[in-house]
């Protein structure tokens, strides 16, 4: 089963291999993960396909405009979390949920930390993160930054917190979860 899914995906992605050699290994990894049975944890996941059923991949071999249209849809309220910082209630989508949404609608996406910079006084850290989406006709990237206090360890490591914040903001610049930034303004 895994080899048939893998060969199917690779045949559909062969146009990308010359320009992104590392993409070939990523697609093989994705094909292996796609064929593994997954527990039903959230509305984003589909039941595992039967052995003779082809694995659906909504993002592969689609124009960028279609991918952006899917990514720009409103995130279901059941996936939105709230936390309180400095007496303010903040709505957000956890980074791992955004990751799953990107994997579902834009499996060719990539992300990278562009820089990690500590403030001159060493009290805060800023991370710049880039998210890139690949369509059949184009690719697009957005970068954003996130900053966390080195002393604030309530939500984990400060660098990880800043990275997650930067990732969420870069996703919002592509439309994913952008509605959360507008709800508080009204």
């Amino acid at each position: 089963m895994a080899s048939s899914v893998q060969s199917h995906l690779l045949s559909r992605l062969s146009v990308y291999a010359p320009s992104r050699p590392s993409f070939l290994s990523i697609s093989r990894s994705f094909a292996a993960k796609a064929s593994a049975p997954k527990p039903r944890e959230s509305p984003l996941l589909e039941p595992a396909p039967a052995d003779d059923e082809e694995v659906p991949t909504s993002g592969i071999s689609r124009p960028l405009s279609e991918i952006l249209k899917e990514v720009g849809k409103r995130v279901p309220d059941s996936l939105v979390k709230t936390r309180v910082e400095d007496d303010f209630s903040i709505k957000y989508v956890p980074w791992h949920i955004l990751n799953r949404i990107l994997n579902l609608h834009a499996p060719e996406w990539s992300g990278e930390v562009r820089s990690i910079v500590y403030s001159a006084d060493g009290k805060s850290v800023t991370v710049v993160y880039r998210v890139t989406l690949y369509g059949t006709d184009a690719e697009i990237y957005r970068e954003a930054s996130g900053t966390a206090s080195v002393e604030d360890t309530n939500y984990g490591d400060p660098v990880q917190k800043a990275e997650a914040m930067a990732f969420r903001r870069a996703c919002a610049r592509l439309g994913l979860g952008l509605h959360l930034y507008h709800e508080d303004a009204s």
Side-chain angles (χ1 to χ4, degrees), residues 1 4 9-11 28 37 49 66 72 93 95 104 109-110 124 128 133 139 141-142 165 183 185-186:
M1 170 65 184
S4 66
L9 289 173
L10 291 176
S11 68
R28 287 186 180 124
E66 289 181 22
V93 181
W95 70 268
L104 178 67
W109 78 277
S110 67
S124 66
V128 175
L133 303 180
E139 62 186 56
Y141 70 86
R142 295 291 182 260
M165 184 185 301
E183 287 179 349
S186 51

Side-chain angles (χ1 to χ4, degrees), residues 1-11 13 23-38 49 55 57 60 107:
M1 170 65 184
S3 63
S4 66
V5 170
Q6 186 177 15
S7 62
H8 173 71
L9 289 173
L10 291 176
S11 68
L13 296 173
F23 186 73
L24 197 54
S25 61
I26 293 169
S27 64
R28 287 186 180 124
S29 172
F30 175 74
K33 288 177 185 175
S35 65
K38 297 175 183 138
V55 176
T57 52
I60 295 176

Side-chain angles (χ1 to χ4, degrees), residues 12 20 24-25 31 39 43 48 57 63 78 99-101 123 125 130-131 139-140 142 159-162 178:
R12 293 180 71 187
R20 287 190 275 292
L24 197 54
S25 61
T57 52
S78 62
N99 192 326
R100 281 191 171 171
I101 293 170
K123 292 185 178 183
V125 61
R130 176 185 284 187
V131 174
E139 62 186 56
I140 187 172
R142 295 291 182 260
V159 175
Q160 291 173 339
K161 182 178 178 180
L178 183 60

Side-chain angles (χ1 to χ4, degrees), residues 83 85 116-119 121-128 145-166 168-169:
R83 75 170 178 262
E85 280 190 24
I116 300 173
V117 179
Y118 285 86
S119 63
D121 60 6
K123 292 185 178 183
S124 66
V125 61
T126 300
V127 174
V128 175
S145 64
T147 302
S149 169
V150 173
E151 297 165 1
D152 180 16
T153 57
N154 290 340
Y155 295 100
D157 178 78
V159 175
Q160 291 173 339
K161 182 178 178 180
E163 179 182 348
M165 184 185 301
R168 287 192 301 267
R169 289 175 175 173

Side-chain angles (χ1 to χ4, degrees), residues 62-82:
R62 292 192 315 159
L64 186 59
S65 62
E66 289 181 22
I67 294 169
L68 289 171
K69 185 176 180 181
E70 288 297 316
V71 167
K73 290 182 178 178
R74 183 181 182 89
V75 176
D77 290 337
S78 62
L79 301 175
V80 176
K81 304 293 182 197
T82 305

Side-chain angles (χ1 to χ4, degrees), residues 89 91 178-186:
S89 180
K91 288 184 178 182
L178 183 60
H179 66 280
L180 295 174
Y181 291 87
H182 299 287
E183 287 179 349
D184 293 335
S186 51

